[in-house]
Amino acid sequence: MENKGSDEVEKLKTKFLSAWHNVKYSWALKSKTSFSRNSPVLLLGKCYHFKAEDDDSPTEACCEPFDEDFVMGNVEAFRKDFASRVWLTYREEFPPLPGSTLTSDCGWGCMLRAGQMMLAQALTLHFLGRDWTWPEALALQPLDTQTWTTTAAKRLVASLEASLQSSPGTSDHSLLPVHQAQAQAPGSAEEADAHLKEMYHSTLVSWFGDSPSAQLGLHRLVRLGLTMGKQAGDWYGPAVVAHILKKAVEEAMDPGLAGITAYVSQDCTVYSADVIDSHRAPTNDQPVSSRAVIILIPVRLGGEKTNPDYFNFAKSILSLEYCIGIIGGKPKQACYFVGFQDDSLIYMDPHYCQSFVDVSTSDFPLQSYHCASPKKMPFSKMDPSCTIGFYSRDVQDYERITQELSKVLQPSAKEKYPAFTFVQGHGRDYDLSASLTPEKREWPFIRDPRRTVTTAGDFVLL
């Protein structure tokens, strides 16, 4: 009886904490973000200009591109592109996470969510291409702080009442617009192509569902984190998340994910032979086949703060179409960087607690997995510890990527050392999770003491 009572108390605490975080992070939402009409906006390799061709105004006026009455330049294209990216946030009322009684990741799972978003972008490139946009993207409503905060407060009361009455709480799906699946068989080639892409879109999102069976869901990531000494409720840094994502992709059993794998750099060094081997890895169906590779590079762009000399480097990286973004953020507050304008980063924010969605149904709502409200943050506030991601479709694509990135990585007059390097050959095989303590895993530039080989790519971070 004591154990049962203790479990009930823990469940009550968990629900209270989850609901409180929901209110807390709802207050953090901003309904609008200002953009300059005179500066280009870069979003994962796509460039957008909000200034109309016939607008010769010299002023540095700011615009809010998501206002209904604002039409200028190709702002609508930017809106659609941004809203088409998969948005993964805190969730609540899902099945308990491995090794815990937690049914929500509010307050601690933001880096895992940011990692999921970066992985989702890689899969979008793999299955749909960079030019794909979601047909319903422009129909999404921007997040409204007051409305969502009021709802969060009501859910706090409802959750506590349900807990005190010992009755299971119900998830409020009334805020999630219903996704209307197309029941008719497509009639033309264009309709068939659109229908196929929507199937890929839904399947891709379902892989990130919050259930133990989801291939790339939070439950799977937490289970893999246990092997690295991380528990549900712990803080996950960008370097550890990179290794968790790699394992998740490698261990995914869905046939749709058989054609893609992941590689994590060692000591800020990408070993080309290892990446090429990943491209050419054998599978069960064929002796040797070509697989796409998600390249994840944990780096540290400075000491206590991000070194300003790396700002232009980050801009150059986010200007590449095969870049799948950067996971990082502020200290202990992760986000997913997808672009920039002037001296501000554009990012997707996982800090909102939404209701659990059952992605096992054929027509589950997709709207809560997309966001119409971009956020901006000065480069100067970016935490120096981050993980950069790239998508390489095949060996030829990788060779092109290395050539282009080698130019980006050339140190400028101010920069003394590149953020990371490419070297020929194989890296020493070692298990980061076994050789480093949890604290040191978040310092990806620490050299493996067993390494004796030196290369021209060795460097010291500023």
Side-chain angles (χ1 to χ4, degrees), residues 107-286:
W108 58 269
C110 51
M111 188 65 77
L112 290 173
R113 296 299 186 179
Q116 284 183 314
M117 284 190 272
M118 184 165 68
L119 187 54
Q121 176 59 17
L123 296 176
T124 300
L125 290 179
H126 185 67
F127 292 107
L128 300 169
R130 182 61 187 90
D131 293 332
W132 173 83
T133 54
W134 186 35
E136 298 181 35
L138 293 179
L140 289 174
Q141 295 298 315
L143 299 179
D144 179 79
T145 305
Q146 183 176 0
T147 301
W148 286 61
T149 303
T150 302
T151 303
K154 291 180 180 178
R155 290 170 67 187
L156 169 62
V157 175
S159 178
L160 292 177
E161 287 179 347
S163 299
L164 293 173
Q165 294 172 3
S166 299
S167 61
T170 58
S171 296
D172 180 5
H173 293 284
S174 61
L175 293 177
L176 305 176
V178 178
H179 173 65
Q180 300 295 337
Q182 295 293 333
Q184 302 88 350
S188 66
E190 290 184 0
E191 289 175 334
D193 181 65
H195 180 71
L196 180 61
K197 288 181 177 179
E198 276 310 291
M199 290 179 60
Y200 274 120
H201 178 205
S202 296
T203 301
L204 191 158
V205 172
S206 72
W207 285 331
F208 296 93
D210 296 304
S211 65
S213 61
Q215 300 291 307
L216 306 171
L218 185 70
H219 291 71
R220 189 68 55 88
L221 301 187
V222 168
R223 181 179 64 78
L224 293 171
L226 292 174
T227 65
M228 297 185 180
K230 292 291 186 181
Q231 305 285 332
D234 289 349
W235 166 255
Y236 294 71
V240 165
V241 168
H243 286 270
I244 291 176
L245 295 178
K246 176 180 182 292
K247 287 188 176 182
V249 174
E250 289 177 341
E251 296 182 8
M253 301 301 293
D254 193 296
L257 292 168
I260 191 166
T261 188
Y263 168 87
V264 179
S265 67
Q266 301 176 11
D267 306 330
C268 302
T269 303
V270 178
Y271 293 92
S272 291
D274 290 338
V275 178
I276 292 174
D277 284 350
S278 297
H279 273 301
R280 295 172 174 169
T283 64
N284 295 329
D285 299 328
Q286 304 175 22

Side-chain angles (χ1 to χ4, degrees), residues 54 90 407:
D54 58 351
Y90 294 151
K407 298 176 182 177

